[in-house]
Amino acid sequence: MTSLDGLLQGFQLAATPTNLVAAGIGVLLGTFAGMLPGLGISGTIALLIPISFGLDPLTALVIFGGIYYGAAFGGSTTAILLNVPGEGASVVTCVEGYAMARRGRAGAALSVAAIGSFFAGILGLAGLVLFAPTIAGWALAFGPQEYFCVAVLALVVLSGISGQSMIQSSLMVVIGIMLASIGIDPMTGVERFTMSTDILADGISFIIVVMGVYGMAEVLQTAADGDCAVAPPRIAFRDLYPTREELSRSIPAIGRGSIIGLLIGLVPGPSGTISTFLSYAVEKRFSRGRKQFGSGAIEGVAGPEAANNGADTSTLIPLLSLGLPFNAGAALLLSGFLIHGITPGPDLVNTRPDLFWGLVASLFIGNVMLLVINLPFVGFFASVLRIPLGILMPLVAVIVLSGTYFMNNNLSDLWLVIAFGLFGWLLKGTGYSVAPLIIGLFLGPLIERGFIQSMVLADGSLITLMARPFSGVMLGAAALFIVVRGSVEIRRRFGSKSLGVGSQTL
Amino acid sequence: MNDAYRSQPSAPTMQILVALTLLAGCSLYLYAAMGFSFGVWSSPKAGFIPRIAGCLGVTLAACNVARVWWTAKPGPVDLGLSPRRAFAFLGVLVAYVALLGKLGFLPVTFAATLALLLVSRGRRGLVMTLTIAGAFSVGIWLLFGSILNLPLP
């Protein structure tokens, strides 16, 4: 079956009335999730856990895909209207988008952001259609050595570019691997680190940690911040039209931003944030309206928003073809899949093409829905921002706990969610990123199984592992990255110290 | 500046506390990992990866403590304007989980929602708070228990 045949079959499956409604619900919920601080993708997924149990797997995937897409769009709405970046990727949208809103051009900023996101999303999905099946086909030939080496490279790169010190992010990755080792060792059947308690005997579920460090931690942070609802400006439908000049300036920025996003999304790490900053820097230097930057340049909204959505879409390529989540958003989407017993990766593409292509087609549909539904109703969405967080957060807290309970009907899981919520809140509050921890936790078992099987097959010889062409290249790239990143860090510290001494002398 | 804000520990103290906790956690993990057999490279046992991860974890956590200790500004601390309110939320949630299996879903969910709303909103709009807590708890009880037929605790 060619990719085009698969996609057409996927559209047949995704375009049923049930799945279209599911895509609409997912997109709407995702938009709310992105807009409302504290709800987030994890809170929305928790809300849907009990509701989605009776659904067909594809319908559930379609809803989770819609949430993933919608959340990225919702983030830009709060950034433009309220100057509140819900996530790192929306920071630069705040700068130019909010400045445009203060000039009375909020509608134009929102519509250009939506058009940019749509264009980049479609381009990213085209990449997914072209490359994911091919990569998944190659991955079928992967042995434990290859999987181990890909996972190591992903974690090494992630540790180096998570926006914090390399020591902190590497520590988070290792703590994730430690958490993954709790429970019964699948290779030897030995119970590890369970402290003879039932609560830890089956290990710590990836989804429970996600619910804790994202869902519950966000609730705690918002509770600590207090009830701070801000009134957004009212937007009429006619305000949504960008002027001809705004549109002509946006188109090249959207093109550049999309390409940046698509490429950065293939690199492990916070691709959304990195791609938006990179796109902003490019626009600030090369765009026609570069002199307006800081006071509401439309290119500063169009480029970064396209880059963010492009990165969010292209990061689905490694997730769906290899089963590797390269950033926090992909890990959250993965948790939604795992709840329904669906593990993304080459097996999904090759043995369940109906699910894979159905999901891909639904993402196309979701992208169109996002544009068609959200733009005309942006005024309504903005009014959602008037809901006081003091009311919303208690409800989200109860929903996160209820959703977690219904996964296994086990009250012990709730204790873990609360514990990880506290852990995540303290870590985030003191500047640690929890994304490397989550990805370390997911990849930990893969690394352990891959390494042990590789060692048994190679009779304990590390050289054999490196001698395999693909494994060797991956390990070589990981080693090169460590050397380059380490030398940059040392040079930066050495440089800043000598600068500090110099300035004191002066 | 309000009392809650003033009651926060200073940023470096908080940073060092978290860094030391991570070091203690990694050290405990390594200590426990030493109890499992390492095996040999050609036949690894249950303690193989845990010991490697434990050693790496302790080394990185120690470097992290050193980094925080010797850096004048280890990074910002943002635990919100009132961390006490977050701890009050935690207290209610702990009580919620403890009582859920004993008193049943509906009464405990109502009590927990009400308590959480009181923590986050204070006593303003008490009737509104009671209405929201009642409507929400009955709503999800009906949704989970009657419509979705899920087994309630």
Side-chain angles (χ1 to χ4, degrees):
Chain A
M1 185 165 62
T2 65
S3 293
L4 193 64
D5 292 334
L7 187 62
L8 287 174
Q9 195 191 4
F11 271 110
Q12 282 179 340
L13 294 167
T16 61
T18 314
N19 289 338
L20 287 175
V21 171
I25 292 172
V27 162
L28 284 175
L29 283 174
T31 307
F32 289 136
M35 284 170 70
L36 295 169
L39 184 56
I41 301 180
S42 53
T44 317
I45 287 177
L47 169 73
L48 284 175
I49 289 171
I51 298 168
S52 67
F53 275 145
L55 296 176
D56 174 67
L58 177 61
T59 310
L61 291 194
V62 168
I63 295 183
F64 293 132
I67 291 174
Y68 179 72
Y69 254 46
F73 180 83
S76 65
T77 309
T78 42
I80 291 167
L81 296 180
L82 299 179
N83 200 23
V84 174
E87 48 176 1
S90 304
V91 170
V92 292
T93 308
C94 278
V95 180
E96 302 304 325
Y98 187 64
M100 281 184 73
R102 291 183 67 183
R103 284 197 286 117
R105 301 298 299 149
L110 283 167
S111 58
V112 162
I115 294 165
S117 299
F118 170 77
F119 182 78
I122 294 292
L123 213 61
L125 286 171
L128 183 66
V129 170
L130 284 175
F131 299 118
T134 314
I135 295 172
W138 293 340
L140 279 180
F142 280 11
Q145 298 94 331
E146 281 77 17
Y147 264 112
F148 166 72
C149 296
V150 171
V152 166
L153 177 63
L155 289 183
V156 165
V157 175
L158 183 75
S159 306
I161 56 171
S162 283
Q164 53 184 339
S165 94
M166 203 169 170
I167 293 173
Q168 278 182 316
S169 42
S170 307
L171 178 60
M172 288 296 106
V173 165
V174 173
I175 290 175
I177 294 173
M178 287 174 174
L179 291 173
S181 69
I182 294 172
I184 295 170
D185 173 24
M187 308 298 287
T188 57
V190 174
E191 263 195 24
R192 298 185 299 196
F193 312 106
T194 59
M195 293 177 270
S196 306
T197 56
D198 290 342
I199 193 170
L200 297 174
D202 290 333
I204 296 178
S205 154
F206 172 74
I207 301 162
I208 283 172
V209 182
V210 166
M211 290 301 159
V213 299
Y214 283 100
M216 194 51 74
E218 193 66 39
V219 165
L220 295 177
Q221 181 64 40
T222 317
D225 280 337
D227 194 356
C228 49
V230 195
R234 294 194 185 278
I235 298 163
F237 186 67
R238 63 175 180 280
D239 296 335
L240 288 171
Y241 291 109
T243 61
R244 189 170 287 183
E245 198 218 336
E246 282 171 338
L247 205 56
S248 72
R249 280 169 52 189
S250 302
I251 290 169
I254 289 172
R256 287 187 289 263
S258 302
I259 293 166
I260 290 170
L262 293 180
L263 296 176
I264 301 288
L266 299 172
V267 180
S271 48
T273 308
I274 295 171
S275 62
T276 52
F277 276 92
L278 195 57
S279 166
Y280 187 77
V282 166
E283 295 309 320
K284 201 172 175 180
R285 188 168 173 83
F286 297 110
S287 67
R288 225 168 75 196
R290 55 185 174 273
K291 285 181 184 163
Q292 274 185 21
F293 268 73
S295 56
I298 191 111
E299 295 94 335
V301 177
E305 279 303 311
N308 184 21
N309 228 42
D312 277 351
T313 315
S314 66
T315 205
L316 294 176
I317 296 176
L319 177 71
L320 294 178
S321 58
L322 298 172
L324 300 177
F326 275 6
N327 62 28
L332 290 170
L333 181 61
L334 177 71
S335 69
F337 289 6
L338 294 177
I339 289 163
H340 286 269
I342 299 160
T343 310
D347 284 342
L348 177 74
V349 183
N350 293 296
T351 60
R352 295 297 308 271
D354 53 328
L355 281 183
F356 173 76
W357 287 111
L359 173 67
V360 174
S362 79
L363 292 174
F364 275 102
I365 294 169
N367 224 347
V368 176
M369 276 188 176
L370 203 58
L371 195 69
V372 174
I373 297 176
N374 283 5
L375 263 186
F377 294 107
V378 74
F380 164 71
F381 285 116
S383 67
V384 170
L385 292 169
R386 293 171 199 273
I387 298 175
L389 292 176
I391 293 177
L392 189 69
M393 277 310 106
L395 312 187
V396 173
V398 173
I399 283 171
V400 167
L401 288 182
S402 309
T404 309
Y405 171 79
F406 289 121
M407 271 192 316
N408 300 317
N409 296 325
N410 189 354
L411 283 172
S412 311
D413 290 348
L414 308 191
W415 292 115
L416 288 175
V417 169
I418 293 176
F420 279 108
L422 177 63
F423 186 54
W425 175 55
L426 290 173
L427 284 180
K428 283 188 204 171
T430 46
Y432 295 82
S433 166
V434 291
L437 183 146
I438 287 293
I439 296 171
L441 173 69
F442 182 75
L443 294 182
L446 186 75
I447 287 183
E448 178 164 19
R449 204 171 46 241
F451 189 63
I452 289 178
Q453 286 176 349
S454 307
M455 286 296 97
V456 172
L457 288 171
D459 203 24
S461 165
L462 280 170
I463 303 292
T464 315
L465 185 69
M466 285 178 241
R468 289 173 72 98
F470 187 80
S471 319
V473 169
M474 293 290 119
L475 286 182
L480 186 69
F481 183 85
I482 292 172
V483 171
V484 171
R485 182 69 177 82
S487 61
V488 167
E489 184 105 340
I490 289 167
R491 204 178 305 156
R492 189 170 57 86
R493 282 176 181 247
F494 182 73
S496 64
K497 270 189 182 168
S498 53
L499 188 72
V501 172
S503 54
Q504 276 172 11
T505 316
L506 281 169
Chain B
M1 197 181 287
N2 62 31
D3 287 343
Y5 191 80
R6 277 202 302 269
S7 70
Q8 283 191 52
S10 69
T13 311
M14 201 62 214
Q15 292 275 11
I16 200 80
L17 275 176
V18 170
L20 284 172
T21 308
L22 292 175
L23 177 61
C26 290
S27 306
L28 267 174
Y29 178 91
L30 179 59
Y31 176 75
M34 298 309 280
F36 300 107
S37 166
F38 185 80
V40 289
W41 285 85
S42 57
S43 176
K45 297 277 185 269
F48 188 81
I49 290 288
R51 283 199 199 184
I52 295 173
C55 290
L56 263 174
V58 169
T59 311
L60 287 165
C63 291
N64 188 42
V65 170
R67 185 191 67 86
V68 173
W69 192 267
W70 276 296
T71 311
K73 287 179 184 167
V77 169
D78 176 20
L79 294 174
L81 286 172
S82 172
R84 275 185 200 167
R85 193 159 38 215
F87 283 112
F89 249 64
L90 266 177
V92 174
L93 293 174
V94 165
Y96 177 60
V97 177
L99 296 173
L100 203 54
K102 293 182 179 121
L103 301 178
F105 185 79
L106 183 60
V108 180
T109 301
F110 171 72
T113 312
L114 183 63
L116 291 172
L117 283 167
L118 287 172
V119 169
S120 64
R121 304 184 74 217
R123 287 187 187 171
R124 70 195 145 105
L126 203 56
V127 178
M128 172 81 150
T129 303
L130 273 166
T131 313
I132 294 169
F136 173 73
S137 40
V138 170
I140 61 168
W141 176 70
L142 282 175
L143 176 71
F144 295 148
S146 300
I147 300 171
L148 298 170
N149 280 324
L150 295 169
L152 297 172

